[in-house]
Amino acid sequence: MQNFIKILKENNLLKIIDEPVDIELEMAHLAYLEVKKEDSKALLFTNAVKNNQKYNYPVLLNTFCNEKALNLSFGRSYNDISKEISSLLKMHIPQNFSAKIDFFKTLLSLKNIPPKRIKKDGLFTHQTLNSLNELPILKTWEKDVAPFITMGQVYTQSLDGKQNNLGMYRLQLVNEKTLLMHWQIHKDANHFFNDYKQANKKMPVSIAIGGDPLYIWCAQAPLPKGIFELLLYGFIRKKPAILSKCKSNDLYVPYDSDFVIEGFVNPNDFAPEGPFGDHTGFYTPVELCPVLKVEKIFAKKNAIYQATVVGKPPLEDKYMGLGTERIFLPLLQTNAPDLLDYNMPENGVFHNLILAQIKTRYPAHAQQTMHIFWGIGQMSFVKHAIFVDENAPNLKDYDKLIPHILNRFDESKILISEGICDQLDHASNTYCYGGKAGLDACGELKETQLDKISDENLLNIFQTLNQNITNLKQYYLDTYAPICIISIDKKEKISQIFEKLQNHKKHFRILIFVDKDVNLNNPYMLVWRVVNNIDAKRDIFIKKDCVCIDATSKGPLEDYYKKWPLMTNCSKDVIDKLIFKKLLEKDEFFFKKFEIF
């Protein structure tokens, strides 16, 4: 970690904060706002405190602060890695001597991919810590139940010892020797845990923090089941990860880790975990999670504690996800060979919205690719996908792409399906299962125009039918299918209101309802709200020539009986305190842009 901090500093990507900053809310709030900036930097806090008591270890936040920092962590461009994977997947039998030489050079370069285990007792000297409370574990959000480790590399092994896994899971601090393991139902570590539970055996778990930042990026990489994530590290680095054996269990972790936490999970020991503000921008509910009893805690000399902040976009996971998106495109193309490109917008929090471009060869080609997406690994978590053809603008050029889609909008080409969803998804009535929607926008340009009227006139018409409609705003009025966002103090089902508006559908094609307090003038955050808050099967209503989406909070009207979650809002008191301490600039426009309160 010290080496990467030096690299960040040399590239003017590090801001060092020597003033005392509290690990409870203050530190996370500063990092949360910093990474939203155009010129964001990593933050190194050299004076971490809690209740004015100083910790022995500095804290690094926003390690992957921008695209340049991401590439520095890889040691090369993510595009170069993607091209190398693509080339490997296209290898064929060499036809001449020169081609054979290149072929064997390529094979030889792969010899350093597998991790290397050190037989002797490590290459370093770690000091033993007595308590987890010696680590500057952050409390991120005001309503978080406790501090959480947010960048822990969680190392586990299958019951038979044949498979190893590295994952990134949140870890709730309970006391000085206890953590709660939030490994989600679909993850490999949870599958391992189920095997240990069935055998009624304790499961060894080791958590590394820090070291080479590429470790934690690999931990969140969506590799196929059974492939150890540190193989990807070896492929990217062109040298193996060096692993040292843990002291209290038989697991191995990187020798250069800044901190190592070792212990065992009793398969019959569970405790309530959460609530916790997560990467969706909402608090996740309380769940029973396995209890990790810590046996040993080690700290490297001059160790640095690495953490991240999750919440409303954009955040550090924007850049981590960018690397995943680019590097895994060639692998995705092996299952969807006509996929040209895809994009996971960060305000769609990755699994909630994906844009994809395909080379269309036959009718319903987009629908076929939708089903492929929904059947592949972590892509199966995707809730909403929009497909365009090879003639569409660049998928990241939203100013051109959105009108292109809306000018080809056809409600008959919306595919509503259902399947698994991310465990953190709150919109569905059911647990880890819900509706999905795909839009085929690969068709021809539409010509028929609406009878378009002003926002004021359209609002007057709507309010004569429902006085609970409080405001509206139309976007992309110059396209075939403008988007009309409507705020409402909901008293009846949105589907019923949509029915009443049908007599005026000459004025609209796409209606999206949101709660009355939502800012209609912030399209970036509107996308975030809408894709978070809908279950396609329950909340999308399709009529001839028009569609309605219910992105309001749900309750008994929709047979939704869970508690609708709160958003991860910053504490105004903490923000004011940071401004007073001159650690944060007061910027009301910036605060409103990203809806921090």
Side-chain angles (χ1 to χ4, degrees):
M1 185 55 67
Q2 287 85 351
N3 289 339
F4 192 67
I5 285 173
K6 182 180 178 183
I7 291 170
L8 289 172
K9 193 172 183 179
E10 289 170 350
N11 285 273
N12 194 30
L13 293 176
L14 183 69
K15 184 184 293 185
I16 299 174
I17 299 174
D18 292 322
E19 292 86 349
V21 180
D22 204 297
I23 62 168
E24 185 160 323
L25 302 182
E26 286 189 0
M27 204 173 280
H29 277 39
L30 283 173
Y32 178 74
L33 295 174
E34 172 67 28
V35 80
K36 295 179 185 297
K37 298 175 184 176
E38 294 277 337
D39 58 345
S40 65
K41 295 184 180 183
L43 301 181
L44 180 63
F45 296 91
T46 62
N47 198 352
V49 301
K50 184 176 182 180
N51 299 326
N52 296 319
Q53 295 296 310
K54 188 178 187 304
Y55 285 88
N56 292 328
Y57 306 106
V59 178
L60 180 68
L61 281 151
N62 297 345
T63 307
F64 305 94
C65 56
N66 56 31
E67 196 169 330
K68 185 176 181 181
L70 177 72
N71 283 330
L72 287 170
S73 74
F74 291 147
R76 51 183 171 143
S77 164
Y78 55 73
N79 284 323
D80 289 342
I81 300 168
S82 179
K83 288 175 184 175
E84 184 179 359
I85 292 173
S86 181
S87 176
L88 285 171
L89 293 172
K90 294 174 183 176
M91 286 180 68
H92 53 79
I93 299 172
Q95 300 298 313
N96 54 51
F97 182 75
S98 176
K100 288 179 182 178
I101 295 295
D102 291 338
F103 180 81
F104 285 110
K105 279 183 180 179
T106 300
L107 292 181
L108 192 62
S109 71
L110 302 179
K111 69 179 176 64
N112 290 323
I113 288 179
K116 181 180 178 182
R117 292 181 172 182
I118 302 170
K119 293 184 179 179
K120 58 183 180 180
D121 192 18
L123 297 177
F124 54 89
T125 302
H126 274 54
Q127 64 181 26
T128 301
L129 305 185
N130 296 316
S131 168
L132 291 168
N133 294 327
E134 296 180 55
L135 305 184
I137 302 173
L138 275 59
K139 181 177 179 181
T140 306
W141 297 110
E142 199 166 20
K143 296 186 185 302
D144 283 357
V145 70
F148 285 78
I149 295 173
T150 52
M151 263 194 166
Q153 307 157 35
V154 180
Y155 292 86
T156 55
Q157 189 177 70
S158 61
L159 180 62
D160 62 9
K162 294 181 179 179
Q163 292 184 38
N164 294 283
N165 181 256
L166 164 59
M168 180 179 174
Y169 313 107
R170 72 183 192 226
L171 304 152
Q172 179 181 324
L173 176 65
V174 178
N175 58 43
E176 60 184 18
K177 286 292 180 77
T178 308
L179 295 167
L180 298 183
M181 307 294 305
H182 189 271
W183 42 46
Q184 296 168 36
I185 191 171
H186 305 107
K187 305 298 186 180
D188 285 350
N190 187 64
H191 299 159
F192 291 171
F193 172 74
N194 289 333
D195 292 338
Y196 281 91
K197 184 174 175 59
Q198 192 171 7
N200 198 28
K201 291 185 176 181
K202 289 196 302 182
M203 178 176 174
V205 176
S206 290
I207 300 154
I209 300 171
D212 190 327
L214 187 54
Y215 299 141
I216 196 65
W217 183 87
C218 290
Q220 56 82 56
L223 287 170
K225 179 177 171 60
I227 296 181
F228 189 24
E229 286 72 13
L230 288 184
L231 290 169
L232 180 58
Y233 174 95
F235 176 81
I236 293 172
R237 276 278 183 269
K238 299 304 176 193
K239 62 179 183 180
I242 307 299
L243 307 182
S244 180
K245 187 179 180 301
C246 293
K247 309 288 188 186
S248 60
N249 61 38
D250 291 331
L251 299 176
Y252 285 76
V253 298
Y255 84 97
D256 57 343
S257 303
D258 284 68
F259 298 92
V260 178
I261 302 166
E262 303 173 5
F264 291 86
V265 171
N266 183 326
N268 301 306
D269 190 5
F270 292 80
E273 190 262 10
F276 175 73
D278 219 304
H279 78 278
T280 59
F282 290 82
Y283 285 90
T284 53
V286 176
E287 290 185 86
L288 288 176
C289 285
V291 175
L292 173 67
K293 291 297 185 181
V294 174
E295 302 272 337
K296 297 282 187 181
I297 309 167
F298 299 102
K300 187 179 181 180
K301 185 180 179 182
N302 300 321
I304 294 172
Y305 182 85
Q306 185 184 20
T308 191
V309 177
V310 290
K312 298 179 193 175
L315 291 175
E316 183 177 12
D317 57 4
K318 165 184 175 178
Y319 301 105
M320 296 176 76
L322 173 63
T324 301
E325 174 194 290
R326 294 296 88 197
I327 288 172
F328 281 83
L329 173 60
L331 293 171
L332 192 54
Q333 287 170 325
T334 62
N335 290 286
D338 292 308
L339 177 67
L340 301 175
D341 199 4
Y342 77 116
N343 173 24
M344 302 185 293
E346 77 273 2
N347 53 339
V349 290
F350 310 109
H351 57 267
N352 281 343
L353 177 65
I354 281 190
L355 309 172
Q357 186 175 36
I358 61 171
K359 182 174 179 61
T360 52
R361 298 183 185 275
Y362 38 77
H365 197 166
Q367 287 84 340
Q368 179 193 43
T369 313
M370 291 174 201
H371 287 297
I372 293 172
F373 271 40
W374 290 331
I376 300 176
Q378 292 190 31
M379 274 291 175
S380 58
F381 298 146
V382 171
K383 288 173 62 177
H384 312 106
I386 299 174
F387 285 78
V388 295
D389 63 21
E390 61 269 35
N391 300 312
N394 185 287
L395 295 181
K396 294 186 186 293
D397 186 352
Y398 300 129
D399 289 340
K400 293 180 180 178
L401 180 67
I402 295 173
H404 178 93
I405 292 168
L406 295 176
N407 281 324
R408 288 156 180 81
F409 177 80
D410 185 340
E411 79 283 351
S412 69
K413 292 187 176 180
I414 298 174
L415 174 64
I416 304 293
S417 184
E418 59 185 343
I420 67 169
C421 61
D422 192 289
Q423 187 173 335
L424 303 178
D425 179 73
H426 65 264
S428 298
N429 293 32
T430 48
Y431 178 69
C432 298
Y433 179 84
K436 298 173 179 289
L439 171 64
D440 177 0
C442 297
E444 297 296 322
L445 196 68
K446 299 278 189 174
E447 299 293 340
T448 308
Q449 294 298 310
L450 293 169
D451 179 8
K452 299 170 184 175
I453 57 177
S454 69
D455 290 355
E456 183 181 2
N457 289 339
L458 189 58
L459 179 61
N460 288 335
I461 291 171
F462 285 179
Q463 286 181 329
T464 60
L465 297 171
N466 190 301
Q467 293 184 347
N468 294 315
I469 291 174
T470 58
N471 202 359
L472 66 77
K473 182 174 179 61
Q474 298 177 90
Y475 287 91
Y476 302 102
L477 264 175
D478 56 345
T479 68
Y480 169 78
I483 300 172
C484 179
I485 311 290
I486 305 167
S487 59
I488 188 169
D489 183 10
K490 185 176 60 175
K491 305 295 184 185
E492 60 181 308
K493 290 183 177 181
I494 298 299
S495 58
Q496 295 171 345
I497 299 171
F498 184 43
E499 286 287 349
K500 295 174 185 176
L501 300 180
Q502 286 301 296
N503 289 336
H504 301 281
K505 70 178 184 180
K506 65 180 180 179
H507 300 307
F508 64 82
R509 290 202 200 281
I510 302 174
L511 301 180
I512 301 177
F513 284 83
V514 295
D515 293 318
K516 64 178 181 179
D517 58 347
V518 171
N519 179 5
L520 303 187
N521 297 302
N522 192 340
Y524 179 91
M525 297 305 292
L526 280 170
V527 169
W528 167 75
R529 288 175 183 273
V530 171
V531 297
N532 253 310
N533 284 353
I534 66 174
D535 177 288
K537 198 168 183 182
R538 181 193 61 212
D539 297 330
I540 297 180
F541 314 108
I542 301 172
K543 298 283 188 182
K544 181 172 171 51
D545 297 326
C546 60
V547 63
C548 175
I549 299 173
D550 177 7
T552 62
S553 303
K554 304 304 186 298
L557 271 176
E558 296 84 14
D559 295 322
Y560 186 97
Y561 296 103
K562 298 184 288 184
K563 184 179 178 181
W564 192 260
L566 297 172
M567 295 178 291
T568 54
N569 292 328
C570 289
S571 163
K572 192 164 189 315
D573 288 344
V574 173
I575 294 296
D576 289 344
K577 185 177 179 182
L578 292 170
I579 293 170
F580 178 78
K581 292 167 68 174
K582 296 184 179 180
L583 293 172
L584 180 67
E585 182 182 347
K586 186 175 183 178
D587 187 339
E588 295 293 349
F589 174 80
F590 183 81
F591 296 167
K592 288 178 181 178
K593 179 180 178 181
F594 295 111
E595 299 182 5
I596 72 164
F597 297 123

